[in-house]
mmCIF file of all heavy atoms in Angstrom:
data_model
loop_
_atom_site.group_PDB
_atom_site.id
_atom_site.type_symbol
_atom_site.label_atom_id
_atom_site.label_comp_id
_atom_site.label_asym_id
_atom_site.label_seq_id
_atom_site.Cartn_x
_atom_site.Cartn_y
_atom_site.Cartn_z
ATOM 1 N N LYS A 1 0.835 -1.195 0.000
ATOM 2 C CA LYS A 1 0.000 0.000 0.000
ATOM 3 C C LYS A 1 0.876 1.253 0.000
ATOM 4 O O LYS A 1 1.895 1.312 0.678
ATOM 5 C CB LYS A 1 -0.905 0.025 1.242
ATOM 6 C CG LYS A 1 -2.021 -1.010 1.219
ATOM 7 C CD LYS A 1 -3.085 -0.667 0.172
ATOM 8 C CE LYS A 1 -4.237 -1.673 0.214
ATOM 9 N NZ LYS A 1 -5.255 -1.366 -0.811
ATOM 10 N N ILE A 2 0.472 2.226 -0.800
ATOM 11 C CA ILE A 2 1.167 3.513 -0.824
ATOM 12 C C ILE A 2 0.112 4.607 -0.885
ATOM 13 O O ILE A 2 -0.883 4.491 -1.613
ATOM 14 C CB ILE A 2 2.147 3.600 -2.021
ATOM 15 C CG1 ILE A 2 2.898 4.937 -2.014
ATOM 16 C CG2 ILE A 2 1.431 3.384 -3.353
ATOM 17 C CD1 ILE A 2 4.022 5.015 -3.038
ATOM 18 N N SER A 3 0.303 5.655 -0.109
ATOM 19 C CA SER A 3 -0.684 6.735 -0.071
ATOM 20 C C SER A 3 -0.677 7.506 -1.386
ATOM 21 O O SER A 3 0.291 7.463 -2.153
ATOM 22 C CB SER A 3 -0.380 7.682 1.086
ATOM 23 O OG SER A 3 0.802 8.410 0.836
ATOM 24 N N PHE A 4 -1.756 8.213 -1.632
ATOM 25 C CA PHE A 4 -1.890 8.984 -2.877
ATOM 26 C C PHE A 4 -0.748 9.994 -3.018
ATOM 27 O O PHE A 4 -0.091 10.060 -4.056
ATOM 28 C CB PHE A 4 -3.248 9.700 -2.896
ATOM 29 C CG PHE A 4 -3.561 10.368 -4.208
ATOM 30 C CD1 PHE A 4 -4.311 9.723 -5.177
ATOM 31 C CD2 PHE A 4 -3.101 11.653 -4.479
ATOM 32 C CE1 PHE A 4 -4.588 10.341 -6.389
ATOM 33 C CE2 PHE A 4 -3.369 12.279 -5.679
ATOM 34 C CZ PHE A 4 -4.120 11.620 -6.642
ATOM 35 N N ASP A 5 -0.513 10.785 -1.971
ATOM 36 C CA ASP A 5 0.514 11.829 -2.052
ATOM 37 C C ASP A 5 1.912 11.238 -2.222
ATOM 38 O O ASP A 5 2.743 11.783 -2.960
ATOM 39 C CB ASP A 5 0.463 12.723 -0.813
ATOM 40 C CG ASP A 5 -0.772 13.623 -0.804
ATOM 41 O OD1 ASP A 5 -1.300 13.913 -1.902
ATOM 42 O OD2 ASP A 5 -1.209 14.020 0.286
ATOM 43 N N SER A 6 2.190 10.131 -1.530
ATOM 44 C CA SER A 6 3.499 9.479 -1.677
ATOM 45 C C SER A 6 3.683 8.972 -3.100
ATOM 46 O O SER A 6 4.779 9.056 -3.673
ATOM 47 C CB SER A 6 3.633 8.323 -0.686
ATOM 48 O OG SER A 6 3.589 8.785 0.629
ATOM 49 N N CYS A 7 2.609 8.429 -3.677
ATOM 50 C CA CYS A 7 2.666 7.923 -5.046
ATOM 51 C C CYS A 7 2.906 9.062 -6.028
ATOM 52 O O CYS A 7 3.707 8.933 -6.962
ATOM 53 C CB CYS A 7 1.359 7.197 -5.376
ATOM 54 S SG CYS A 7 1.416 6.239 -6.901
ATOM 55 N N MET A 8 2.226 10.193 -5.817
ATOM 56 C CA MET A 8 2.426 11.361 -6.689
ATOM 57 C C MET A 8 3.867 11.865 -6.602
ATOM 58 O O MET A 8 4.472 12.233 -7.604
ATOM 59 C CB MET A 8 1.464 12.486 -6.307
ATOM 60 C CG MET A 8 -0.005 12.212 -6.570
ATOM 61 S SD MET A 8 -0.414 11.892 -8.301
ATOM 62 C CE MET A 8 -0.670 10.114 -8.230
ATOM 63 N N ALA A 9 4.399 11.879 -5.372
ATOM 64 C CA ALA A 9 5.780 12.345 -5.186
ATOM 65 C C ALA A 9 6.760 11.420 -5.905
ATOM 66 O O ALA A 9 7.686 11.878 -6.590
ATOM 67 C CB ALA A 9 6.119 12.428 -3.697
ATOM 68 N N GLN A 10 6.562 10.112 -5.760
ATOM 69 C CA GLN A 10 7.460 9.172 -6.430
ATOM 70 C C GLN A 10 7.349 9.291 -7.945
ATOM 71 O O GLN A 10 8.366 9.282 -8.650
ATOM 72 C CB GLN A 10 7.156 7.741 -6.001
ATOM 73 C CG GLN A 10 8.157 6.744 -6.587
ATOM 74 C CD GLN A 10 7.865 5.315 -6.204
ATOM 75 O OE1 GLN A 10 6.742 4.839 -6.355
ATOM 76 N NE2 GLN A 10 8.873 4.615 -5.707
ATOM 77 N N MET A 11 6.116 9.402 -8.455
ATOM 78 C CA MET A 11 5.929 9.583 -9.889
ATOM 79 C C MET A 11 6.662 10.826 -10.376
ATOM 80 O O MET A 11 7.341 10.797 -11.412
ATOM 81 C CB MET A 11 4.438 9.717 -10.215
ATOM 82 C CG MET A 11 4.145 9.951 -11.688
ATOM 83 S SD MET A 11 2.494 10.616 -11.997
ATOM 84 C CE MET A 11 2.654 12.265 -11.309
ATOM 85 N N PHE A 12 6.562 11.916 -9.618
ATOM 86 C CA PHE A 12 7.233 13.155 -9.999
ATOM 87 C C PHE A 12 8.739 12.937 -10.130
ATOM 88 O O PHE A 12 9.347 13.306 -11.145
ATOM 89 C CB PHE A 12 6.958 14.249 -8.961
ATOM 90 C CG PHE A 12 7.760 15.500 -9.173
ATOM 91 C CD1 PHE A 12 7.308 16.486 -10.037
ATOM 92 C CD2 PHE A 12 8.985 15.680 -8.540
ATOM 93 C CE1 PHE A 12 8.059 17.639 -10.255
ATOM 94 C CE2 PHE A 12 9.746 16.817 -8.756
ATOM 95 C CZ PHE A 12 9.271 17.805 -9.618
ATOM 96 N N PHE A 13 9.349 12.323 -9.127
ATOM 97 C CA PHE A 13 10.807 12.181 -9.135
ATOM 98 C C PHE A 13 11.277 11.181 -10.199
ATOM 99 O O PHE A 13 12.304 11.416 -10.858
ATOM 100 C CB PHE A 13 11.305 11.772 -7.750
ATOM 101 C CG PHE A 13 11.330 12.904 -6.773
ATOM 102 C CD1 PHE A 13 10.447 12.944 -5.700
ATOM 103 C CD2 PHE A 13 12.225 13.949 -6.935
ATOM 104 C CE1 PHE A 13 10.458 14.002 -4.808
ATOM 105 C CE2 PHE A 13 12.253 15.016 -6.043
ATOM 106 C CZ PHE A 13 11.364 15.043 -4.978
ATOM 107 N N ILE A 14 10.550 10.097 -10.404
ATOM 108 C CA ILE A 14 10.951 9.128 -11.433
ATOM 109 C C ILE A 14 10.957 9.783 -12.807
ATOM 110 O O ILE A 14 11.929 9.678 -13.567
ATOM 111 C CB ILE A 14 10.028 7.892 -11.421
ATOM 112 C CG1 ILE A 14 10.287 7.037 -10.180
ATOM 113 C CG2 ILE A 14 10.261 7.042 -12.681
ATOM 114 C CD1 ILE A 14 9.344 5.853 -10.039
ATOM 115 N N HIS A 15 9.873 10.496 -13.139
ATOM 116 C CA HIS A 15 9.798 11.130 -14.459
ATOM 117 C C HIS A 15 10.726 12.336 -14.557
ATOM 118 O O HIS A 15 11.295 12.596 -15.622
ATOM 119 C CB HIS A 15 8.359 11.524 -14.768
ATOM 120 C CG HIS A 15 7.460 10.348 -15.009
ATOM 121 N ND1 HIS A 15 7.642 9.481 -16.072
ATOM 122 C CD2 HIS A 15 6.405 9.867 -14.320
ATOM 123 C CE1 HIS A 15 6.720 8.534 -16.020
ATOM 124 N NE2 HIS A 15 5.960 8.741 -14.969
ATOM 125 N N PHE A 16 10.902 13.059 -13.449
ATOM 126 C CA PHE A 16 11.846 14.183 -13.449
ATOM 127 C C PHE A 16 13.247 13.703 -13.796
ATOM 128 O O PHE A 16 13.930 14.284 -14.652
ATOM 129 C CB PHE A 16 11.841 14.864 -12.079
ATOM 130 C CG PHE A 16 12.953 15.855 -11.891
ATOM 131 C CD1 PHE A 16 12.881 17.106 -12.469
ATOM 132 C CD2 PHE A 16 14.078 15.536 -11.141
ATOM 133 C CE1 PHE A 16 13.909 18.040 -12.301
ATOM 134 C CE2 PHE A 16 15.109 16.437 -10.967
ATOM 135 C CZ PHE A 16 15.024 17.700 -11.554
ATOM 136 N N PHE A 17 13.702 12.638 -13.141
ATOM 137 C CA PHE A 17 15.049 12.128 -13.411
ATOM 138 C C PHE A 17 15.156 11.516 -14.812
ATOM 139 O O PHE A 17 16.217 11.585 -15.440
ATOM 140 C CB PHE A 17 15.454 11.116 -12.339
ATOM 141 C CG PHE A 17 15.747 11.728 -11.002
ATOM 142 C CD1 PHE A 17 15.051 11.335 -9.856
ATOM 143 C CD2 PHE A 17 16.718 12.709 -10.866
ATOM 144 C CE1 PHE A 17 15.315 11.903 -8.616
ATOM 145 C CE2 PHE A 17 16.998 13.292 -9.633
ATOM 146 C CZ PHE A 17 16.287 12.887 -8.505
ATOM 147 N N SER A 18 14.071 10.921 -15.312
ATOM 148 C CA SER A 18 14.094 10.366 -16.673
ATOM 149 C C SER A 18 14.246 11.475 -17.710
ATOM 150 O O SER A 18 15.059 11.371 -18.635
ATOM 151 C CB SER A 18 12.811 9.573 -16.948
ATOM 152 O OG SER A 18 12.752 8.411 -16.159
ATOM 153 N N PHE A 19 13.463 12.556 -17.563
ATOM 154 C CA PHE A 19 13.561 13.678 -18.494
ATOM 155 C C PHE A 19 14.923 14.357 -18.373
ATOM 156 O O PHE A 19 15.506 14.787 -19.371
ATOM 157 C CB PHE A 19 12.445 14.697 -18.236
ATOM 158 C CG PHE A 19 11.071 14.191 -18.582
ATOM 159 C CD1 PHE A 19 9.971 14.545 -17.822
ATOM 160 C CD2 PHE A 19 10.875 13.361 -19.673
ATOM 161 C CE1 PHE A 19 8.699 14.087 -18.138
ATOM 162 C CE2 PHE A 19 9.606 12.886 -20.000
ATOM 163 C CZ PHE A 19 8.526 13.249 -19.232
ATOM 164 N N THR A 20 15.425 14.452 -17.140
ATOM 165 C CA THR A 20 16.743 15.067 -16.933
ATOM 166 C C THR A 20 17.835 14.247 -17.599
ATOM 167 O O THR A 20 18.749 14.810 -18.218
ATOM 168 C CB THR A 20 17.031 15.209 -15.421
ATOM 169 O OG1 THR A 20 16.010 16.003 -14.815
ATOM 170 C CG2 THR A 20 18.381 15.879 -15.191
ATOM 171 N N GLU A 21 17.746 12.921 -17.508
ATOM 172 C CA GLU A 21 18.755 12.070 -18.152
ATOM 173 C C GLU A 21 18.769 12.282 -19.660
ATOM 174 O O GLU A 21 19.826 12.357 -20.283
ATOM 175 C CB GLU A 21 18.491 10.596 -17.833
ATOM 176 C CG GLU A 21 19.497 9.650 -18.456
ATOM 177 C CD GLU A 21 19.989 8.581 -17.489
ATOM 178 O OE1 GLU A 21 19.633 8.616 -16.305
ATOM 179 O OE2 GLU A 21 20.757 7.717 -17.932
ATOM 180 N N SER A 22 17.582 12.393 -20.246
ATOM 181 C CA SER A 22 17.494 12.649 -21.681
ATOM 182 C C SER A 22 18.169 13.974 -22.027
ATOM 183 O O SER A 22 18.924 14.071 -23.004
ATOM 184 C CB SER A 22 16.021 12.670 -22.111
ATOM 185 O OG SER A 22 15.893 12.943 -23.484
ATOM 186 N N GLY A 23 17.912 15.006 -21.215
ATOM 187 C CA GLY A 23 18.536 16.310 -21.456
ATOM 188 C C GLY A 23 20.045 16.274 -21.287
ATOM 189 O O GLY A 23 20.787 16.924 -22.041
ATOM 190 N N ILE A 24 20.522 15.529 -20.286
ATOM 191 C CA ILE A 24 21.975 15.419 -20.075
ATOM 192 C C ILE A 24 22.639 14.733 -21.267
ATOM 193 O O ILE A 24 23.711 15.154 -21.732
ATOM 194 C CB ILE A 24 22.275 14.650 -18.774
ATOM 195 C CG1 ILE A 24 21.777 15.437 -17.561
ATOM 196 C CG2 ILE A 24 23.772 14.377 -18.635
ATOM 197 C CD1 ILE A 24 21.787 14.649 -16.260
ATOM 198 N N LEU A 25 22.019 13.677 -21.772
ATOM 199 C CA LEU A 25 22.574 12.991 -22.949
ATOM 200 C C LEU A 25 22.613 13.922 -24.146
ATOM 201 O O LEU A 25 23.524 13.842 -24.983
ATOM 202 C CB LEU A 25 21.748 11.740 -23.263
ATOM 203 C CG LEU A 25 21.848 10.605 -22.233
ATOM 204 C CD1 LEU A 25 20.851 9.499 -22.559
ATOM 205 C CD2 LEU A 25 23.269 10.032 -22.184
ATOM 206 N N LEU A 26 21.637 14.837 -24.239
ATOM 207 C CA LEU A 26 21.634 15.811 -25.338
ATOM 208 C C LEU A 26 22.809 16.777 -25.216
ATOM 209 O O LEU A 26 23.530 17.002 -26.200
ATOM 210 C CB LEU A 26 20.313 16.582 -25.345
ATOM 211 C CG LEU A 26 20.231 17.748 -26.335
ATOM 212 C CD1 LEU A 26 20.412 17.260 -27.772
ATOM 213 C CD2 LEU A 26 18.899 18.487 -26.177
#
């Protein structure tokens, strides 16, 4: 079980780091 807010926070950081990695490779 994971709370709604915790899930939103994790989603934010996972996608933030994914987009950042793409930008760094660029």
Side-chain angles (χ1 to χ4, degrees):
K1 289 290 183 181
I2 182 172
S3 69
F4 188 95
D5 289 335
S6 297
C7 192
M8 293 300 105
Q10 185 181 51
M11 178 198 69
F12 172 86
F13 283 111
I14 289 176
H15 290 296
F16 169 77
F17 288 122
S18 292
F19 292 144
T20 302
E21 180 135 355
S22 179
I24 295 169
L25 292 173
L26 173 60

